């Protein structure tokens, strides 16, 4: 490494941010009505959300539009698959950390099959063979270990998050084999290219859904907040419904209030 | 001779036993499964043959009210503000809520007309004899991974089955709508009238967008 001191400084900064956000989250647990998100920094979050919307309008959306216009759909799908294949080591690690042996075996098989028969992950023959994709990350592992989500945060560029998922992101970054390799050979170009490509791919992949949310919402900020929090809650329990073990924060938990209930939420 | 009190107690407890009876509840889950399957099949068939324009919206509204308890959803989505709303506000809100759902979702499903999507019910989880969750997969030709959709089905007071919530990939649409509406109300000083205004503006804006599109 050329400049170990600078690197350490940066690491210190990142861990400083993580610690601060955890502390902030700790302060923020006040009792609230059931239908309100834990969002004590809403003012700041809305400002960052606005900034991200500008970034999207100026860079990401045009890039995704071009990407969709220039590349034929099979190529787009191939790139999407290849990027997903690159993240299987992180999924495998977190499957293991959560004690999910069956899912870890699936992830391992997917990586072996798709990296070889699937030609560096561009194809996804593993899915056809019954090894279906799933996602894991260290934020989910922390949740499985018992960490709460804490206050809602909107990060510049990265978007919706919370203290737990910020820590998760940082750990994911440093445990990713490609990033470790890039650090060792001092090649920052690879991780940066990969991040930019992933961002464009994700924006293009969910293009219609994202435009739909922006156009059809009365308040896109709170719509995205609800989507993110619910989606994470569902990912953490691996998409298992109420049959296995009902999570109290899950919307389709039978014990949670739902439309058709007469007792509206005033008491909760 | 049974005393009146113990008779009532017995009647009550047997009613409780009956209402939690698993055989009954299982049946409700099966009923809910076939309800969702046939509702979805019909809806997909109508989307496929639907024309653009006001006819489409009318048809969508019919399908919506046929399968969903729109008023119950609207009421729940308003959450704790329901009780704060005045009676005429409640009525106006419920009507606007239905219009809003029709405009946003008929727009959302526009992309599906003509394409061969299929819904298959996979299982159901039953709470009791009037509440169940039906799990399903929606397959689209352009994507190899199915979308997982859960339907919360309840039986209404006049014994009709109605959907009260749709959970797409773990995200409850009612819950998302509710947190959005509550945020709009909070930002207009806790007044339901603020939400009513916002709904009016949004619905009108989207309806005129749709007309412009079909006019071209």
């Amino acid at each position: 490494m050329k400049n170990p001191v600078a690197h350490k400084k940066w690491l210190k900064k990142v861990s400083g941010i993580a610690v601060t956000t955890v502390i902030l989250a700790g302060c923020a647990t006040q009792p609230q009505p059931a239908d309100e998100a834990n969002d004590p920094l809403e003012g700041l979050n809305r400002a960052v959300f606005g900034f991200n919307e500008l970034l999207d309008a100026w860079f990401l959306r045009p890039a995704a539009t071009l990407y969709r216009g220039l590349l034929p759909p099979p190529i787009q799908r191939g790139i999407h698959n290849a990027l997903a294949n690159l993240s299987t080591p992180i999924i495998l690690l977190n499957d293991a950390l959560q004690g999910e042996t069956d899912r870890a075996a699936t992830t391992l098989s997917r990586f072996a099959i798709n990296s070889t028969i699937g030609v560096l992950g561009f194809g996804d023959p593993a899915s056809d063979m019954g090894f279906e994709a799933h996602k894991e990350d260290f934020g989910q592992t922390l949740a499985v270990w018992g960490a709460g989500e804490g206050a809602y945060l909107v990060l510049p560029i990265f978007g919706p998050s919370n203290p737990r998922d910020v820590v998760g992101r940082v750990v994911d970054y440093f445990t990713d084999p490609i990033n470790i390799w890039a650090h060792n050979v001092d090649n920052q170009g690879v991780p940066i290219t990969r991040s930019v490509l992933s961002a464009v791919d994700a924006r293009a992949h969910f293009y219609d859904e994202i435009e739909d949310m922006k156009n059809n919402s009365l308040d896109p900020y709170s719509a995205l907040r609800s989507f993110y929090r619910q989606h994470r809650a569902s990912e953490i329990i691996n998409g298992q419904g109420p049959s296995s073990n009902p999570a109290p924060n899950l919307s389709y938990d039978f014990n949670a209030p739902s439309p058709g209930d007469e007792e509206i939420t005033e008491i909760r | 001779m049974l005393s009146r009190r113990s008779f009532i107690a017995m009647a009550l407890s047997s009613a409780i036993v009956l209402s939690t009876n698993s055989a009954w509840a299982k049946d409700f889950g099966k009923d809910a499964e076939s309800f969702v399957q046939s509702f979805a099949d019909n809806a997909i068939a109508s989307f496929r043959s639907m024309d653009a324009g006001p006819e489409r919206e009318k048809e969508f509204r019919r399908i919506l009210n046929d399968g969903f308890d729109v008023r119950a959803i609207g009421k729940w989505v308003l959450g704790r503000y329901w009780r704060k709303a005045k009676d005429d506000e409640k009525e106006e809100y419920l009507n606007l809520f239905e219009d809003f759902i029709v405009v946003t979702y008929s727009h959302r499903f526009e992309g599906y007309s003509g394409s061969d999507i299929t819904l298959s019910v996979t299982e159901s989880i039953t709470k009791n004899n009037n509440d169940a969750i039906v799990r399903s997969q929606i397959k689209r030709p352009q994507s190899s991974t199915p979308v997982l959709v859960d339907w919360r089905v309840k039986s209404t007071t006049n014994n009709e089955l109605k959907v009260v919530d749709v959970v797409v990939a773990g995200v409850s649409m009612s819950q998302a709508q509710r947190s959005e509406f509550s945020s709009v109300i909070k930002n207009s000083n806790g007044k339901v009238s603020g939400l009513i205004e916002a709904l009016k503006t949004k619905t009108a804006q989207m309806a005129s967008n749709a007309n412009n599109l079909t006019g071209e």
Side-chain angles (χ1 to χ4, degrees):
Chain A
M1 208 169 290
K2 265 191 243 157
N3 194 344
V5 182
H7 175 232
K8 250 192 188 153
K9 238 186 191 165
W10 181 71
L11 189 64
K12 230 176 170 177
K13 228 185 227 167
V14 170
S15 56
I17 294 170
V19 168
T20 321
T21 46
V22 169
I23 292 168
L24 278 175
C27 305
T29 36
Q30 300 146 350
Q32 299 179 309
D35 53 341
E36 269 168 42
N38 178 10
D39 191 0
L41 300 176
E42 185 169 338
L44 179 65
N45 281 341
R46 277 191 188 268
V48 177
F49 176 80
F51 170 73
N52 287 346
E53 290 282 271
L54 281 182
L55 282 187
D56 182 65
W58 287 343
F59 303 109
L60 200 51
R61 188 170 180 267
T65 310
L66 269 181
Y67 184 86
R68 278 159 55 102
L70 294 177
L71 298 180
I75 306 269
Q76 287 181 43
R77 218 171 301 141
I79 294 175
H80 186 77
N81 288 340
L83 286 167
N85 194 49
L86 287 183
S87 63
T88 35
I90 289 290
I91 300 175
L92 179 63
L93 173 67
N94 287 287
D95 281 335
L97 289 174
Q98 293 172 29
E100 297 268 4
T101 44
D102 288 354
R103 282 163 69 94
T106 305
T107 307
L108 201 56
S109 313
R110 281 184 60 79
F111 189 66
I113 297 165
N114 285 348
S115 305
T116 52
I117 310 172
V119 196
L120 296 176
F122 279 91
D124 184 10
S127 285
D128 302 328
M129 295 159 82
F131 300 105
E132 276 172 24
H134 65 259
K135 282 192 182 141
E136 285 298 346
D137 51 66
F138 195 67
Q140 292 186 48
T141 298
L142 286 174
V144 170
W145 289 353
E149 61 177 334
Y152 181 68
L153 293 173
V154 181
L155 307 177
I157 302 167
F158 297 105
S161 194
N162 58 49
R164 183 188 64 206
D165 291 344
V166 169
V167 175
R169 255 183 194 285
V170 174
V171 172
D172 286 338
Y173 184 85
F174 285 105
T175 50
D176 190 296
I178 293 175
N179 293 343
I180 293 172
W181 166 82
H183 268 283
N184 289 341
V185 300
D186 203 17
N187 178 346
Q188 287 308 310
V190 171
I192 291 171
T193 311
R194 181 184 168 196
S195 306
V196 171
L197 189 59
S198 299
V200 176
D201 162 68
R203 183 65 173 87
H205 194 72
F206 294 110
Y207 192 88
D208 293 332
E209 288 82 355
I210 293 169
E211 293 302 305
D212 182 281
M213 196 191 305
K214 284 184 185 185
N215 297 333
N216 292 345
S217 299
L218 296 178
D219 180 15
Y221 171 84
S222 56
L224 183 61
R225 181 176 64 195
S226 178
F227 273 63
Y228 180 75
R229 296 183 63 232
Q230 290 195 58
H231 182 64
R232 287 299 282 173
S234 156
E235 278 189 327
I236 288 159
I237 59 160
N238 297 338
Q240 295 301 306
S243 55
S244 53
N245 62 65
N249 54 346
L250 201 70
S251 39
Y252 47 69
D253 168 21
F254 272 127
N255 299 318
S258 69
D261 289 348
E262 273 316 304
E263 72 286 16
I264 306 186
T265 48
E266 211 163 55
I267 28 158
R268 286 172 69 99
Chain B
M1 196 61 184
L2 283 169
S3 74
R4 192 170 162 184
R5 186 174 287 174
S6 62
F7 177 74
I8 292 172
M10 267 179 68
L12 265 178
S13 57
S14 62
I16 290 165
V17 168
L18 274 178
S19 68
T20 53
N21 184 306
S22 63
W24 275 30
K26 268 257 150 18
D27 286 347
F28 183 76
K30 288 285 163 230
D31 287 352
E33 280 184 35
S34 51
F35 166 71
V36 168
Q37 187 68 62
S38 67
F39 169 73
D41 290 345
N42 288 334
I44 292 167
S46 333
F47 289 143
R48 204 169 289 148
S49 57
M50 239 184 236
D51 302 320
E55 277 306 304
R56 177 196 186 84
E57 222 175 271
K58 227 163 122 193
E59 173 71 357
F60 187 88
R61 195 183 292 268
R62 192 192 61 72
I63 295 172
L64 178 74
N65 280 309
D66 189 38
F68 290 79
D69 193 345
V70 182
R71 288 179 74 89
I73 298 170
K75 198 170 151 183
W76 186 79
V77 161
L78 203 56
R80 61 206 173 90
Y81 296 107
W82 177 258
R83 296 206 174 152
K84 292 186 185 161
K86 298 182 203 86
D87 281 346
D88 53 331
E89 278 181 337
K90 285 180 182 170
E91 206 45 48
E92 189 179 13
Y93 159 77
L94 284 177
N95 290 333
L96 279 167
F97 176 72
E98 187 181 310
D99 291 348
F100 177 71
I101 296 297
V102 168
V103 173
T104 51
Y105 282 84
S106 67
H107 195 66
R108 261 171 211 175
F109 286 111
E110 234 152 62
Y112 294 131
S113 62
S115 70
D116 274 317
I117 68 164
T118 53
L119 178 142
S120 41
V121 165
T122 50
E123 58 172 330
S124 65
I125 304 126
T126 314
K127 184 188 186 188
N128 52 36
N129 57 11
N130 51 25
D131 192 353
I133 293 168
V134 176
R135 316 202 80 188
S136 70
Q137 296 190 336
I138 294 182
K139 292 200 177 78
R140 295 173 297 170
Q142 66 268 34
S143 163
S144 58
T145 37
V147 184
L148 304 181
V149 180
D150 296 340
W151 309 76
R152 182 84 174 257
V153 178
K154 287 188 182 178
S155 136
T156 62
T157 38
N158 34 4
N159 280 329
E160 279 180 310
L161 297 192
K162 294 281 180 189
V163 176
V164 295
D165 195 8
V166 183
V167 182
V168 182
V171 179
S172 150
M173 295 297 123
S174 300
Q175 182 67 52
Q177 202 70 77
R178 177 168 164 154
S179 84
E180 192 183 333
F181 282 8
S182 102
S183 171
V184 172
I185 296 175
K186 234 172 55 190
N187 291 333
S188 33
N189 300 321
K191 288 204 180 79
V192 176
S193 56
L195 174 67
I196 289 178
E197 282 314 306
L199 279 172
K200 269 186 193 159
T201 319
K202 190 78 194 173
T203 312
Q205 175 208 334
M206 295 196 13
S208 79
N209 283 351
N211 286 341
N212 288 345
L213 280 178
T214 51
E216 274 166 17

